[in-house]
Amino acid sequence: MKRKVYYYDTDCGGVVYYGNYLKFFEEGRTDFMEKTGCAIPDLEKANCFIMVHHQEVWYKHPAKYGQELDIETYAVEITPFRIVFEAFVKYQDTLLVQGITDVVCVNKEGKLSSWPQDVIKAIPISERKIKIRRF
Amino acid sequence: MKRKVYYYDTDCGGVVYYGNYLKFFEEGRTDFMEKTGCAIPDLEKANCFIMVHHQEVWYKHPAKYGQELDIETYAVEITPFRIVFEAFVKYQDTLLVQGITDVVCVNKEGKLSSWPQDVIKAIPISERKIKIRRF
Amino acid sequence: MKRKVYYYDTDCGGVVYYGNYLKFFEEGRTDFMEKTGCAIPDLEKANCFIMVHHQEVWYKHPAKYGQELDIETYAVEITPFRIVFEAFVKYQDTLLVQGITDVVCVNKEGKLSSWPQDVIKAIPISERKIKIRRF
Amino acid sequence: MKRKVYYYDTDCGGVVYYGNYLKFFEEGRTDFMEKTGCAIPDLEKANCFIMVHHQEVWYKHPAKYGQELDIETYAVEITPFRIVFEAFVKYQDTLLVQGITDVVCVNKEGKLSSWPQDVIKAIPISERKIKIRRF
Protein backbone atom coordinates (compact mmCIF):
# COMPACT_ATOMS: atom_id res chain seq x y z
CA MET A 1 0.00 0.00 0.00
CA LYS A 2 1.02 3.61 -0.54
CA ARG A 3 1.53 5.93 2.43
CA LYS A 4 2.49 9.58 2.22
CA VAL A 5 4.73 10.99 4.98
CA TYR A 6 3.18 13.91 6.87
CA TYR A 7 4.68 16.43 9.25
CA TYR A 8 3.20 14.53 12.19
CA ASP A 9 5.23 11.44 11.24
CA THR A 10 8.54 13.27 11.41
CA ASP A 11 10.73 14.66 14.19
CA CYS A 12 13.21 17.50 14.50
CA GLY A 13 15.96 15.24 13.16
CA GLY A 14 14.26 15.93 9.81
CA VAL A 15 13.13 12.34 9.26
CA VAL A 16 10.33 9.98 10.33
CA TYR A 17 10.41 9.30 14.10
CA TYR A 18 11.70 5.78 14.77
CA GLY A 19 8.60 4.79 16.74
CA ASN A 20 6.23 5.80 13.96
CA TYR A 21 7.23 2.98 11.63
CA LEU A 22 5.21 0.74 13.95
CA LYS A 23 2.16 2.75 12.88
CA PHE A 24 3.09 2.11 9.25
CA PHE A 25 3.35 -1.60 10.07
CA GLU A 26 -0.14 -1.46 11.61
CA GLU A 27 -1.49 0.17 8.46
CA GLY A 28 0.17 -2.50 6.32
CA ARG A 29 -1.24 -5.37 8.43
CA THR A 30 -4.70 -3.82 8.40
CA ASP A 31 -4.63 -3.62 4.62
CA PHE A 32 -3.21 -7.14 4.32
CA MET A 33 -5.89 -8.65 6.57
CA GLU A 34 -8.65 -6.83 4.74
CA LYS A 35 -7.43 -8.20 1.41
CA THR A 36 -7.44 -11.77 2.76
CA GLY A 37 -11.10 -11.33 3.68
CA CYS A 38 -10.32 -11.22 7.41
CA ALA A 39 -10.74 -7.51 8.07
CA ILE A 40 -9.71 -6.69 11.64
CA PRO A 41 -13.00 -4.96 12.56
CA ASP A 42 -14.80 -8.19 11.54
CA LEU A 43 -12.43 -10.32 13.61
CA GLU A 44 -13.20 -8.09 16.60
CA LYS A 45 -16.93 -8.74 16.19
CA ALA A 46 -15.99 -12.43 16.49
CA ASN A 47 -14.19 -11.63 19.80
CA CYS A 48 -10.74 -11.95 18.26
CA PHE A 49 -8.38 -9.05 18.95
CA ILE A 50 -4.85 -8.79 17.57
CA MET A 51 -2.17 -8.13 20.17
CA VAL A 52 1.48 -7.61 19.31
CA HIS A 53 3.72 -9.91 21.30
CA HIS A 54 7.11 -9.16 19.82
CA GLN A 55 8.46 -6.56 17.40
CA GLU A 56 11.81 -6.20 15.72
CA VAL A 57 12.80 -3.29 13.48
CA TRP A 58 15.84 -2.58 11.30
CA TYR A 59 16.39 1.02 10.28
CA LYS A 60 18.49 1.27 7.11
CA HIS A 61 17.63 4.67 5.64
CA PRO A 62 15.34 7.35 7.01
CA ALA A 63 12.02 8.25 5.37
CA LYS A 64 11.40 11.95 4.84
CA TYR A 65 8.56 14.43 4.73
CA GLY A 66 6.52 14.39 1.53
CA GLN A 67 7.76 11.01 0.30
CA GLU A 68 5.21 8.51 -0.86
CA LEU A 69 6.27 5.24 0.69
CA ASP A 70 5.41 1.67 -0.21
CA ILE A 71 4.51 -0.55 2.69
CA GLU A 72 4.70 -4.24 1.80
CA THR A 73 3.32 -6.77 4.26
CA TYR A 74 3.61 -10.56 4.24
CA ALA A 75 2.57 -13.31 6.62
CA VAL A 76 5.54 -15.66 6.93
CA GLU A 77 4.40 -18.02 9.66
CA ILE A 78 1.12 -19.05 11.19
CA THR A 79 0.45 -21.43 14.08
CA PRO A 80 -2.70 -21.87 16.15
CA PHE A 81 -1.59 -19.05 18.46
CA ARG A 82 0.74 -16.88 16.44
CA ILE A 83 1.01 -15.02 13.14
CA VAL A 84 4.35 -13.59 12.09
CA PHE A 85 4.35 -10.66 9.68
CA GLU A 86 7.25 -9.20 7.77
CA ALA A 87 6.94 -5.61 6.62
CA PHE A 88 9.09 -3.55 4.26
CA VAL A 89 8.94 0.23 4.00
CA LYS A 90 10.38 1.38 0.68
CA TYR A 91 10.81 4.62 -1.21
CA GLN A 92 11.26 4.29 -4.95
CA ASP A 93 12.53 0.71 -4.65
CA THR A 94 15.01 1.54 -1.90
CA LEU A 95 14.39 -0.41 1.27
CA LEU A 96 14.31 2.02 4.19
CA VAL A 97 13.00 0.05 7.15
CA GLN A 98 11.96 -3.53 7.74
CA GLY A 99 10.24 -5.21 10.62
CA ILE A 100 9.03 -8.51 11.98
CA THR A 101 5.84 -8.43 14.03
CA ASP A 102 4.67 -11.41 16.00
CA VAL A 103 0.97 -11.17 16.90
CA VAL A 104 -1.36 -13.28 19.01
CA CYS A 105 -5.12 -13.37 19.37
CA VAL A 106 -6.78 -12.30 22.62
CA ASN A 107 -10.46 -12.12 23.53
CA LYS A 108 -12.31 -9.12 24.95
CA GLU A 109 -11.00 -9.91 28.43
CA GLY A 110 -7.43 -9.94 27.14
CA LYS A 111 -7.07 -13.74 27.42
CA LEU A 112 -4.94 -15.55 24.87
CA SER A 113 -6.95 -17.67 22.47
CA SER A 114 -6.19 -19.54 19.27
CA TRP A 115 -6.72 -17.99 15.86
CA PRO A 116 -10.03 -18.97 14.26
CA GLN A 117 -9.63 -21.80 11.74
CA ASP A 118 -10.99 -19.72 8.86
CA VAL A 119 -8.37 -17.03 9.54
CA ILE A 120 -5.61 -19.62 9.51
CA LYS A 121 -6.93 -21.00 6.23
CA ALA A 122 -7.44 -17.63 4.57
CA ILE A 123 -3.99 -16.17 5.15
CA PRO A 124 -1.45 -16.85 2.41
CA ILE A 125 2.00 -17.70 3.74
CA SER A 126 5.04 -16.19 2.04
CA GLU A 127 8.63 -17.21 2.31
CA ARG A 128 10.57 -15.49 5.06
CA LYS A 129 12.77 -12.79 3.54
CA ILE A 130 14.40 -11.17 6.54
CA LYS A 131 17.59 -12.88 7.57
CA ILE A 132 17.78 -12.25 11.27
CA ARG A 133 21.09 -10.84 12.40
CA ARG A 134 21.87 -12.29 15.79
CA PHE A 135 24.18 -10.19 17.90
CA MET B 1 3.77 21.23 35.93
CA LYS B 2 7.10 20.72 34.16
CA ARG B 3 7.25 18.90 30.85
CA LYS B 4 10.42 18.20 28.88
CA VAL B 5 10.18 18.22 25.07
CA TYR B 6 11.21 14.94 23.45
CA TYR B 7 12.00 14.06 19.84
CA TYR B 8 8.58 12.45 19.52
CA ASP B 9 6.90 15.79 20.29
CA THR B 10 8.63 17.58 17.43
CA ASP B 11 8.35 17.55 13.66
CA CYS B 12 10.73 18.20 10.76
CA GLY B 13 10.03 21.93 11.03
CA GLY B 14 12.37 21.70 14.04
CA VAL B 15 9.68 22.56 16.61
CA VAL B 16 6.85 20.88 18.52
CA TYR B 17 4.09 19.64 16.16
CA TYR B 18 1.03 21.89 16.42
CA GLY B 19 -1.29 19.00 17.32
CA ASN B 20 0.90 17.85 20.20
CA TYR B 21 0.12 20.83 22.40
CA LEU B 22 -3.27 19.19 22.95
CA LYS B 23 -1.38 16.36 24.63
CA PHE B 24 0.36 18.91 26.85
CA PHE B 25 -3.06 20.35 27.70
CA GLU B 26 -4.25 16.85 28.64
CA GLU B 27 -1.25 16.42 30.93
CA GLY B 28 -1.94 19.78 32.53
CA ARG B 29 -5.64 18.99 33.13
CA THR B 30 -4.77 15.58 34.53
CA ASP B 31 -2.38 17.15 37.00
CA PHE B 32 -4.85 19.91 37.86
CA MET B 33 -7.70 17.46 38.53
CA GLU B 34 -5.48 15.24 40.65
CA LYS B 35 -4.48 18.20 42.80
CA THR B 36 -8.12 19.18 43.39
CA GLY B 37 -8.74 15.66 44.73
CA CYS B 38 -10.76 14.67 41.65
CA ALA B 39 -8.23 12.46 39.88
CA ILE B 40 -9.55 11.42 36.46
CA PRO B 41 -9.10 7.66 37.04
CA ASP B 42 -11.28 8.04 40.17
CA LEU B 43 -13.93 9.97 38.24
CA GLU B 44 -14.01 7.14 35.71
CA LYS B 45 -14.70 4.61 38.45
CA ALA B 46 -17.73 6.81 39.25
CA ASN B 47 -18.84 6.51 35.57
CA CYS B 48 -17.79 10.06 34.74
CA PHE B 49 -15.60 10.41 31.64
CA ILE B 50 -14.17 13.69 30.41
CA MET B 51 -14.87 14.46 26.75
CA VAL B 52 -13.52 17.52 24.98
CA HIS B 53 -16.27 19.45 23.26
CA HIS B 54 -14.42 22.47 21.96
CA GLN B 55 -10.76 23.46 21.72
CA GLU B 56 -9.07 26.69 20.74
CA VAL B 57 -5.31 27.20 20.49
CA TRP B 58 -3.13 30.24 19.90
CA TYR B 59 0.43 29.57 18.76
CA LYS B 60 2.73 32.48 19.59
CA HIS B 61 6.21 30.97 19.67
CA PRO B 62 7.29 27.41 18.96
CA ALA B 63 8.59 25.06 21.66
CA LYS B 64 11.79 23.21 20.83
CA TYR B 65 13.51 19.92 21.53
CA GLY B 66 15.12 19.67 24.95
CA GLN B 67 13.29 22.62 26.49
CA GLU B 68 11.68 22.13 29.87
CA LEU B 69 8.28 23.73 29.55
CA ASP B 70 5.87 24.96 32.18
CA ILE B 71 2.26 23.95 31.67
CA GLU B 72 -0.15 26.06 33.71
CA THR B 73 -3.77 25.00 33.90
CA TYR B 74 -6.75 26.85 35.35
CA ALA B 75 -10.49 26.18 35.47
CA VAL B 76 -12.20 29.44 34.52
CA GLU B 77 -15.83 28.39 34.30
CA ILE B 78 -17.94 25.56 35.61
CA THR B 79 -21.61 24.82 35.01
CA PRO B 80 -23.55 21.60 35.64
CA PHE B 81 -22.54 20.32 32.21
CA ARG B 82 -19.34 22.10 31.31
CA ILE B 83 -15.87 22.92 32.64
CA VAL B 84 -13.72 25.43 30.78
CA PHE B 85 -9.96 25.19 31.21
CA GLU B 86 -7.34 27.70 30.20
CA ALA B 87 -3.81 26.39 29.64
CA PHE B 88 -0.53 28.22 29.14
CA VAL B 89 2.62 26.61 27.82
CA LYS B 90 5.67 28.66 28.77
CA TYR B 91 9.42 28.43 28.45
CA GLN B 92 11.42 30.51 30.88
CA ASP B 93 8.53 32.91 31.45
CA THR B 94 7.86 33.39 27.73
CA LEU B 95 4.34 32.39 26.74
CA LEU B 96 4.57 30.04 23.76
CA VAL B 97 1.10 28.60 23.32
CA GLN B 98 -2.23 29.06 25.04
CA GLY B 99 -5.48 27.17 24.77
CA ILE B 100 -9.05 27.03 25.95
CA THR B 101 -10.57 23.59 26.40
CA ASP B 102 -14.26 23.09 26.98
CA VAL B 103 -15.02 19.65 28.44
CA VAL B 104 -18.20 17.80 29.25
CA CYS B 105 -18.93 14.68 31.27
CA VAL B 106 -20.17 11.52 29.56
CA ASN B 107 -21.00 8.12 31.02
CA LYS B 108 -19.64 4.76 29.87
CA GLU B 109 -22.17 4.65 27.03
CA GLY B 110 -21.04 8.07 25.84
CA LYS B 111 -24.19 9.88 27.00
CA LEU B 112 -23.89 13.43 28.29
CA SER B 113 -24.40 13.74 32.02
CA SER B 114 -23.93 16.51 34.54
CA TRP B 115 -20.74 16.86 36.54
CA PRO B 116 -20.96 15.30 40.03
CA GLN B 117 -21.69 17.91 42.73
CA ASP B 118 -18.49 17.15 44.63
CA VAL B 119 -16.44 17.80 41.49
CA ILE B 120 -18.18 21.14 40.98
CA LYS B 121 -17.50 22.06 44.59
CA ALA B 122 -13.89 20.92 44.62
CA ILE B 123 -12.67 22.79 41.56
CA PRO B 124 -11.28 26.27 42.24
CA ILE B 125 -12.36 28.82 39.64
CA SER B 126 -9.80 31.34 38.38
CA GLU B 127 -10.36 34.52 36.53
CA ARG B 128 -10.37 34.18 32.76
CA LYS B 129 -7.06 35.42 31.37
CA ILE B 130 -7.33 34.78 27.66
CA LYS B 131 -8.94 37.63 25.80
CA ILE B 132 -10.55 35.98 22.84
CA ARG B 133 -9.65 37.60 19.56
CA ARG B 134 -12.68 37.38 17.29
CA PHE B 135 -11.83 37.52 13.62
CA MET C 1 -10.05 12.76 0.87
CA LYS C 2 -10.67 9.37 2.50
CA ARG C 3 -8.90 8.45 5.71
CA LYS C 4 -9.27 5.16 7.54
CA VAL C 5 -9.10 5.22 11.36
CA TYR C 6 -6.33 3.04 12.80
CA TYR C 7 -5.65 1.84 16.33
CA TYR C 8 -2.95 4.49 16.69
CA ASP C 9 -5.53 7.25 16.13
CA THR C 10 -7.72 6.11 19.00
CA ASP C 11 -7.48 6.19 22.79
CA CYS C 12 -8.81 4.06 25.63
CA GLY C 13 -12.08 6.00 25.55
CA GLY C 14 -12.74 3.86 22.47
CA VAL C 15 -12.72 6.78 20.02
CA VAL C 16 -10.22 8.95 18.13
CA TYR C 17 -8.05 11.01 20.51
CA TYR C 18 -9.10 14.68 20.45
CA GLY C 19 -5.63 15.89 19.50
CA ASN C 20 -5.39 13.57 16.50
CA TYR C 21 -8.00 15.43 14.46
CA LEU C 22 -5.30 18.07 13.94
CA LYS C 23 -3.35 15.40 12.08
CA PHE C 24 -6.40 14.75 9.93
CA PHE C 25 -6.61 18.50 9.25
CA GLU C 26 -2.95 18.45 8.19
CA GLU C 27 -3.65 15.59 5.79
CA GLY C 28 -6.62 17.46 4.37
CA ARG C 29 -4.62 20.68 3.86
CA THR C 30 -1.76 18.76 2.26
CA ASP C 31 -4.14 17.15 -0.20
CA PHE C 32 -5.91 20.46 -0.87
CA MET C 33 -2.66 22.33 -1.56
CA GLU C 34 -1.41 19.58 -3.85
CA LYS C 35 -4.61 19.76 -5.87
CA THR C 36 -4.27 23.53 -6.32
CA GLY C 37 -0.82 22.96 -7.80
CA CYS C 38 0.93 24.39 -4.70
CA ALA C 39 2.17 21.18 -3.11
CA ILE C 40 3.71 21.90 0.30
CA PRO C 41 7.06 20.22 -0.46
CA ASP C 42 7.37 22.54 -3.49
CA LEU C 43 6.54 25.60 -1.40
CA GLU C 44 9.30 24.57 1.00
CA LYS C 45 11.82 24.49 -1.84
CA ALA C 46 10.78 28.12 -2.44
CA ASN C 47 11.55 28.89 1.26
CA CYS C 48 7.89 29.10 2.21
CA PHE C 49 6.91 27.02 5.24
CA ILE C 50 3.37 26.75 6.58
CA MET C 51 3.00 27.50 10.28
CA VAL C 52 -0.27 27.21 12.18
CA HIS C 53 -1.07 30.38 14.06
CA HIS C 54 -4.51 29.61 15.45
CA GLN C 55 -6.69 26.52 15.60
CA GLU C 56 -10.27 26.00 16.66
CA VAL C 57 -12.03 22.63 16.83
CA TRP C 58 -15.62 21.59 17.50
CA TYR C 59 -16.17 17.97 18.48
CA LYS C 60 -19.73 16.85 17.71
CA HIS C 61 -19.51 13.06 17.46
CA PRO C 62 -16.51 10.81 17.97
CA ALA C 63 -14.85 8.90 15.12
CA LYS C 64 -14.19 5.22 15.77
CA TYR C 65 -11.72 2.52 14.87
CA GLY C 66 -12.14 1.07 11.38
CA GLN C 67 -14.33 3.86 10.04
CA GLU C 68 -13.43 5.37 6.70
CA LEU C 69 -13.75 9.09 7.20
CA ASP C 70 -14.15 11.90 4.69
CA ILE C 71 -11.94 14.90 5.29
CA GLU C 72 -13.16 17.96 3.42
CA THR C 73 -10.92 21.03 3.29
CA TYR C 74 -11.69 24.52 2.03
CA ALA C 75 -9.78 27.79 1.98
CA VAL C 76 -12.22 30.48 3.14
CA GLU C 77 -9.98 33.51 3.42
CA ILE C 78 -6.63 34.58 2.05
CA THR C 79 -4.66 37.75 2.72
CA PRO C 80 -0.98 38.51 2.02
CA PHE C 81 -0.03 36.95 5.36
CA ARG C 82 -2.77 34.53 6.24
CA ILE C 83 -4.76 31.61 4.83
CA VAL C 84 -7.80 30.36 6.73
CA PHE C 85 -8.89 26.77 6.18
CA GLU C 86 -12.10 25.12 7.22
CA ALA C 87 -12.09 21.35 7.59
CA PHE C 88 -14.92 18.87 8.09
CA VAL C 89 -14.44 15.30 9.25
CA LYS C 90 -17.45 13.19 8.30
CA TYR C 91 -18.51 9.58 8.49
CA GLN C 92 -21.23 8.52 6.09
CA ASP C 93 -22.52 12.09 5.72
CA THR C 94 -22.60 12.72 9.47
CA LEU C 95 -20.43 15.63 10.52
CA LEU C 96 -18.21 14.47 13.38
CA VAL C 97 -15.64 17.21 13.87
CA GLN C 98 -14.98 20.58 12.28
CA GLY C 99 -12.09 22.95 12.56
CA ILE C 100 -10.76 26.31 11.49
CA THR C 101 -7.03 26.58 10.94
CA ASP C 102 -5.30 29.88 10.45
CA VAL C 103 -1.86 29.50 8.85
CA VAL C 104 0.94 31.88 8.06
CA CYS C 105 4.06 31.60 5.93
CA VAL C 106 7.50 31.59 7.53
CA ASN C 107 10.91 31.26 5.94
CA LYS C 108 13.64 28.79 6.91
CA GLU C 109 14.70 31.01 9.80
CA GLY C 110 11.14 31.05 11.11
CA LYS C 111 10.50 34.68 10.13
CA LEU C 112 7.03 35.68 9.01
CA SER C 113 6.81 36.45 5.29
CA SER C 114 3.97 37.06 2.88
CA TRP C 115 2.46 34.26 0.81
CA PRO C 116 3.89 34.11 -2.74
CA GLN C 117 1.60 35.80 -5.28
CA ASP C 118 1.16 32.62 -7.31
CA VAL C 119 -0.06 30.77 -4.22
CA ILE C 120 -2.57 33.53 -3.49
CA LYS C 121 -3.78 33.38 -7.08
CA ALA C 122 -3.95 29.59 -7.28
CA ILE C 123 -6.04 28.94 -4.17
CA PRO C 124 -9.80 28.89 -4.75
CA ILE C 125 -11.74 30.64 -2.00
CA SER C 126 -14.94 29.05 -0.72
CA GLU C 127 -17.69 30.58 1.32
CA ARG C 128 -17.24 30.32 5.06
CA LYS C 129 -19.50 27.57 6.41
CA ILE C 130 -18.66 27.45 10.10
CA LYS C 131 -20.70 29.86 12.13
CA ILE C 132 -18.48 30.71 15.03
CA ARG C 133 -20.14 30.33 18.40
CA ARG C 134 -18.78 33.03 20.68
CA PHE C 135 -19.02 32.20 24.36
CA MET D 1 12.30 7.37 35.88
CA LYS D 2 8.58 7.64 36.55
CA ARG D 3 6.13 8.11 33.67
CA LYS D 4 2.38 8.44 34.03
CA VAL D 5 0.20 6.94 31.27
CA TYR D 6 -2.07 9.48 29.56
CA TYR D 7 -5.03 9.04 27.23
CA TYR D 8 -2.81 9.92 24.28
CA ASP D 9 -0.58 6.91 25.02
CA THR D 10 -3.44 4.43 24.82
CA ASP D 11 -5.59 3.00 22.04
CA CYS D 12 -9.12 1.65 21.77
CA GLY D 13 -7.90 -1.75 22.93
CA GLY D 14 -7.85 -0.08 26.36
CA VAL D 15 -4.09 -0.27 26.77
CA VAL D 16 -0.95 1.59 25.69
CA TYR D 17 -0.45 1.45 21.89
CA TYR D 18 2.38 -0.95 21.01
CA GLY D 19 4.31 1.72 19.11
CA ASN D 20 4.26 4.16 22.01
CA TYR D 21 6.64 2.16 24.17
CA LEU D 22 9.38 3.39 21.81
CA LYS D 23 8.57 6.88 23.08
CA PHE D 24 8.96 5.64 26.65
CA PHE D 25 12.33 4.16 25.64
CA GLU D 26 13.35 7.55 24.22
CA GLU D 27 12.40 9.22 27.50
CA GLY D 28 14.39 6.64 29.45
CA ARG D 29 17.49 7.08 27.25
CA THR D 30 17.25 10.86 27.48
CA ASP D 31 17.15 10.67 31.26
CA PHE D 32 19.97 8.12 31.34
CA MET D 33 22.24 10.22 29.12
CA GLU D 34 21.55 13.35 31.13
CA LYS D 35 22.51 11.57 34.34
CA THR D 36 25.83 10.42 32.85
CA GLY D 37 26.66 14.04 32.06
CA CYS D 38 26.17 13.53 28.30
CA ALA D 39 22.81 15.23 27.83
CA ILE D 40 21.55 14.71 24.28
CA PRO D 41 21.06 18.44 23.55
CA ASP D 42 24.73 18.96 24.47
CA LEU D 43 25.83 16.11 22.22
CA GLU D 44 23.92 17.74 19.37
CA LYS D 45 25.82 20.98 19.88
CA ALA D 46 28.96 18.86 19.36
CA ASN D 47 27.48 17.60 16.05
CA CYS D 48 26.65 14.17 17.45
CA PHE D 49 23.08 12.99 16.82
CA ILE D 50 21.66 9.71 18.09
CA MET D 51 20.04 7.54 15.44
CA VAL D 52 18.32 4.25 16.21
CA HIS D 53 19.64 1.46 14.05
CA HIS D 54 17.82 -1.55 15.45
CA GLN D 55 14.99 -2.02 17.94
CA GLU D 56 13.54 -5.11 19.52
CA VAL D 57 10.55 -5.16 21.87
CA TRP D 58 8.90 -7.85 23.96
CA TYR D 59 5.37 -7.17 25.15
CA LYS D 60 4.53 -9.20 28.24
CA HIS D 61 1.67 -7.31 29.90
CA PRO D 62 -0.09 -4.15 28.73
CA ALA D 63 0.26 -0.82 30.52
CA LYS D 64 -3.00 1.00 31.23
CA TYR D 65 -4.35 4.52 31.54
CA GLY D 66 -3.49 6.27 34.80
CA GLN D 67 -0.72 3.89 35.83
CA GLU D 68 2.55 5.38 36.97
CA LEU D 69 5.20 3.32 35.24
CA ASP D 70 8.87 2.86 36.00
CA ILE D 71 11.19 3.07 33.03
CA GLU D 72 14.61 1.58 33.73
CA THR D 73 17.37 2.12 31.21
CA TYR D 74 20.82 0.56 31.04
CA ALA D 75 23.69 0.69 28.57
CA VAL D 76 24.88 -2.89 28.08
CA GLU D 77 27.39 -2.51 25.27
CA ILE D 78 29.44 0.28 23.81
CA THR D 79 31.80 0.22 20.83
CA PRO D 80 33.25 3.14 18.84
CA PHE D 81 30.14 3.16 16.63
CA ARG D 82 27.36 1.63 18.68
CA ILE D 83 25.64 1.87 22.04
CA VAL D 84 23.18 -0.83 23.05
CA PHE D 85 20.51 0.07 25.59
CA GLU D 86 18.19 -2.23 27.48
CA ALA D 87 14.96 -0.76 28.79
CA PHE D 88 12.37 -2.16 31.16
CA VAL D 89 8.89 -0.75 31.61
CA LYS D 90 7.42 -1.86 34.93
CA TYR D 91 4.28 -1.23 36.94
CA GLN D 92 4.55 -1.94 40.65
CA ASP D 93 7.46 -4.33 40.14
CA THR D 94 5.75 -6.26 37.36
CA LEU D 95 7.69 -6.21 34.11
CA LEU D 96 5.34 -5.15 31.33
CA VAL D 97 7.54 -4.48 28.33
CA GLN D 98 11.25 -4.72 27.61
CA GLY D 99 13.31 -3.53 24.71
CA ILE D 100 16.78 -3.47 23.23
CA THR D 101 17.75 -0.36 21.30
CA ASP D 102 20.88 -0.20 19.22
CA VAL D 103 21.92 3.39 18.47
CA VAL D 104 24.62 4.96 16.34
CA CYS D 105 26.01 8.47 16.09
CA VAL D 106 25.46 10.55 12.96
CA ASN D 107 26.52 14.09 12.17
CA LYS D 108 24.31 16.93 10.97
CA GLU D 109 24.48 15.60 7.41
CA GLY D 110 23.33 12.18 8.58
CA LYS D 111 26.75 10.53 8.10
CA LEU D 112 27.81 7.81 10.49
CA SER D 113 30.56 8.86 12.86
CA SER D 114 32.16 7.35 15.93
CA TRP D 115 30.99 8.21 19.44
CA PRO D 116 33.10 10.92 21.11
CA GLN D 117 35.70 9.43 23.48
CA ASP D 118 34.32 11.29 26.49
CA VAL D 119 30.87 9.80 25.86
CA ILE D 120 32.35 6.31 25.67
CA LYS D 121 34.21 6.94 28.92
CA ALA D 122 31.28 8.49 30.75
CA ILE D 123 28.69 5.78 30.12
CA PRO D 124 28.54 3.04 32.76
CA ILE D 125 28.11 -0.41 31.26
CA SER D 126 25.69 -2.82 32.94
CA GLU D 127 25.40 -6.53 32.52
CA ARG D 128 23.03 -7.63 29.78
CA LYS D 129 19.79 -8.82 31.35
CA ILE D 130 17.59 -9.68 28.39
CA LYS D 131 18.06 -13.20 27.19
CA ILE D 132 17.25 -13.02 23.52
CA ARG D 133 14.76 -15.61 22.40
CA ARG D 134 15.67 -16.68 18.88
CA PHE D 135 12.76 -18.08 16.93
Side-chain angles (χ1 to χ4, degrees), chain C residues 52-70:
Chain C
V52 177
H53 182 62
H54 178 264
Q55 176 71 55
E56 193 160 2
V57 194
W58 292 263
Y59 304 89
K60 292 169 183 297
H61 299 285
K64 289 181 184 159
Y65 175 68
Q67 292 180 337
E68 189 167 74
L69 306 175
D70 284 294

Side-chain angles (χ1 to χ4, degrees), chain B residues 4 7-8 27 34 44, chain D residues 4 7-8 27 34 44:
Chain B
K4 197 178 282 180
Y7 259 81
Y8 66 74
E27 295 184 30
E34 199 176 312
E44 298 195 345
Chain D
K4 198 179 282 183
Y7 259 80
Y8 67 73
E27 295 184 29
E34 200 176 312
E44 298 195 345

Side-chain angles (χ1 to χ4, degrees), chain D residues 48-120:
Chain D
C48 171
F49 297 81
I50 290 182
M51 181 158 279
V52 176
H53 181 63
H54 178 264
Q55 176 70 57
E56 192 160 2
V57 195
W58 293 262
Y59 304 89
K60 292 170 184 297
H61 299 285
K64 288 181 185 160
Y65 175 67
Q67 291 180 338
E68 189 166 74
L69 306 175
D70 284 293
I71 305 173
E72 295 177 10
T73 307
Y74 306 93
V76 296
E77 191 183 332
I78 188 160
T79 71
F81 286 93
R82 208 158 74 93
I83 304 176
V84 181
F85 291 100
E86 285 188 350
F88 302 89
V89 179
K90 295 178 178 179
Y91 177 61
Q92 294 179 344
D93 295 326
T94 300
L95 176 62
L96 305 183
V97 170
Q98 65 184 18
I100 296 179
T101 312
D102 192 340
V103 307
V104 295
C105 177
V106 296
N107 64 20
K108 223 172 193 166
E109 288 71 40
K111 268 210 155 179
L112 186 72
S113 69
S114 57
W115 289 100
Q117 272 303 314
D118 50 345
V119 171
I120 293 181

